[in-house]
Structures are given as C-alpha cells and as structure tokens.
Amino acid sequence: MVTPIRRAGRPTTRQAFSLRQLTVSFGMVVIVVIGVGLTLKKAVQGASAHPGSAALVGAVVLTAVVGFLRWGRRPRAVRVAPAGGPASMGFVAGAVEPLVEPEPEPEPESWVEAGAEAEVDDFADMGAEAFEEAVARLCERDGCHDVRVVGGANDLGADVVAVAPDGRNVVLQCKRYSEGHKVGSQDLQRFGGTCFAVHGADVAAVVTTSDFTGPAAEYAEQCGILCFDHGALGGWADGTGPAPWEAPAPYESPARWEASAP
C-alpha cells in the first residue's frame, strides 16, 4: 500500500537586518542631498551670468540622482548557509531559498512479513477475503511466484493460484470456517470438478481454518486433492509443517494423526 505523503513547502527566509548597512546608506543620502543643494545654489547664482553652464550642471546633477536611485534598487548578494552547513556557504543573488531534503518514501508492507507471523487463531478471526490474502502471502513467503488471489464470483473453485518453486501449478481453495463448521463433500466435489480440468492444477488443495468431514476426506483422497485443516495450516504458517506443494498426497495433518491413533 502506497501512502501519499505531504511534502513540505518551500520555506521563506527573511534577510537579516543590518544596522551598519542602514547607517552607511543614510549617510550617503545625506551627503548627496547636501551636495545637490549646494550645487543648485551655485547654479542659481551663476545662471544669470552663464546660462549654458547652469544647464550643464543641472543635467549632471539629474543624471547622478537617477544613477543613485537605480543603484539602491539593484539586488544584492546575500550570504546564506545551505543545508550542508556553514562550511559550504556561498553567495546567492536575489531571493534566498535554503535547500530542503525530501522526506523518504515509506516502504510498502511486504506480503511476506505480513503472513509470516500469522497463527491459526489469527486466520480464524479474518474475513473470507482477508484469509485468501493471508494464504497467498504464505505461498509467496515459501518461494512461489506469480501468486494471485482470484477468489470471488465465478472463480470456478479457485481462490489462490501460484507457481511452486519447482514450476508446478498450485491451485488452492480457501475455506474460512468456524470450528464447528466442517468442509463437506459437496465443497470438495465442486472444487474437484474444476481444479484439474479448468485450472490445470499440478497441486490442488483445500485450506481451511476448520476440519473436513469423513466423506469429504475420502473424496479428496480419491481425486488426489490435499486437505489442509486447521492443524496443517498452523504447521505451514509457523514452519513446523510442509507447504501444500511439499506435502505427500494424500496428506493428513498431525491433528488427524492424533485423532486416529488408538
């Protein structure tokens, strides 16, 4: 899952106040004003005797004033410290915008990590779709590729399909049933009619959080379908038991072994 992140906007930096620069600028303005005033006074006094000289002096003064105003408006170089620290300070003309490191993208949650720590009780508390996703994570964790969750309407009995590490096609049907609700023979018959002929399974298994009825287990054995009940699912999840493509056919979980022992 990709979580969009909100990137920080570019911060604005104000230029630091400089008392020294203000004093120098104010002094220069005073000098210019006094000089212009004295020059104009002399020009007025000599305008009657030398009109041409007075006009020339006036033009020079006007040019000097315009040049001073333009000089005061030009952008000045400002010393800033970029994100690297004081050692990499430099001059930047105009507006100052310090470098902002982008926030790292969060890593999406891995299917392998999410399914590796699941237990049988966790599976039983899931919804049907979440259980199918969890089984797919287990397949991917144990080396399958091209893992797909295809359960839903018109799935023709297949909920999870994958390719085992040895290249065989794996087709799984997931039954997230409560403890007292066992997988019956009708469930196995519907799956048995499509898992090989339609989905081309090399390994077909029904994985449930519950158990199988006797007739269902017999039908599965006749058709070569693996029955993974809650005990077998728990062993697969915690690594103490085989995955469906590693189990011998027909496969019975340790819970069935204990139940059938005299």
Side-chain angles (χ1 to χ4, degrees), residues 85-123:
S88 58
M89 295 176 65
F91 287 95
V92 180
V96 179
E97 293 183 357
L99 297 177
V100 179
E101 293 293 335
E103 297 181 6
E105 294 285 347
E107 296 183 359
E109 181 183 2
S110 172
W111 275 24
V112 177
E113 295 176 358
E117 300 178 357
E119 298 179 354
V120 176
D121 292 340
D122 299 327
F123 293 132

Side-chain angles (χ1 to χ4, degrees), residues 1-109:
M1 179 178 65
V2 177
T3 303
I5 62 174
R6 182 176 298 173
R7 301 188 180 275
R10 293 184 175 177
T12 57
T13 304
R14 295 183 178 179
Q15 184 175 349
F17 175 76
S18 175
L19 180 60
R20 178 180 178 184
Q21 183 179 358
L22 178 63
T23 303
V24 172
S25 300
F26 182 74
M28 293 180 64
V29 171
V30 172
I31 293 174
V32 170
V33 171
I34 294 176
V36 171
L38 293 176
T39 302
L40 291 177
K41 181 179 179 181
K42 293 293 184 180
V44 171
Q45 290 178 353
S48 58
H50 304 283
S53 299
L56 179 61
V57 171
V60 172
V61 171
L62 180 61
T63 303
V65 172
V66 173
F68 175 76
L69 294 177
R70 289 183 177 179
W71 176 85
R73 294 180 179 178
R74 68 177 181 177
R76 293 177 174 80
V78 180
R79 186 180 295 271
V80 296
S88 58
M89 295 176 65
F91 287 95
V92 180
V96 179
E97 293 183 357
L99 297 177
V100 179
E101 293 293 335
E103 297 181 6
E105 294 285 347
E107 296 183 359
E109 181 183 2

Side-chain angles (χ1 to χ4, degrees), residues 109-262:
E109 181 183 2
S110 172
W111 275 24
V112 177
E113 295 176 358
E117 300 178 357
E119 298 179 354
V120 176
D121 292 340
D122 299 327
F123 293 132
D125 294 335
M126 295 177 180
E129 293 182 359
F131 179 54
E132 294 172 3
E133 292 284 352
V135 172
R137 295 182 190 123
L138 290 176
C139 293
E140 189 176 64
R141 182 198 69 179
D142 291 345
C144 288
H145 57 90
D146 294 338
V147 181
R148 292 179 294 135
V149 178
V150 296
N154 301 321
D155 58 12
L156 297 178
D159 293 323
V160 177
V161 296
V163 178
D166 58 8
R168 291 180 296 167
N169 293 326
V170 179
V171 180
L172 305 178
Q173 186 178 68
C174 303
K175 295 295 186 183
R176 208 283 305 161
Y177 285 168
S178 60
E179 183 177 357
H181 186 184
K182 295 184 178 182
V183 180
S185 60
Q186 292 184 352
D187 296 322
L188 266 297
Q189 290 173 15
R190 283 191 292 267
F191 181 61
T194 59
C195 60
F196 298 109
V198 176
H199 299 292
D202 297 314
V203 178
V206 177
V207 183
T208 181
T209 54
S210 181
D211 203 344
F212 296 85
T213 64
E218 292 177 2
Y219 177 85
E221 182 177 357
Q222 295 174 0
C223 297
I225 299 173
L226 301 174
C227 292
F228 263 58
D229 61 10
H230 67 283
L233 175 60
W236 180 20
D238 61 22
T240 60
W245 55 90
E246 299 171 339
Y251 176 71
E252 292 186 353
S253 70
R256 283 185 172 274
W257 299 341
E258 295 174 1
S260 59

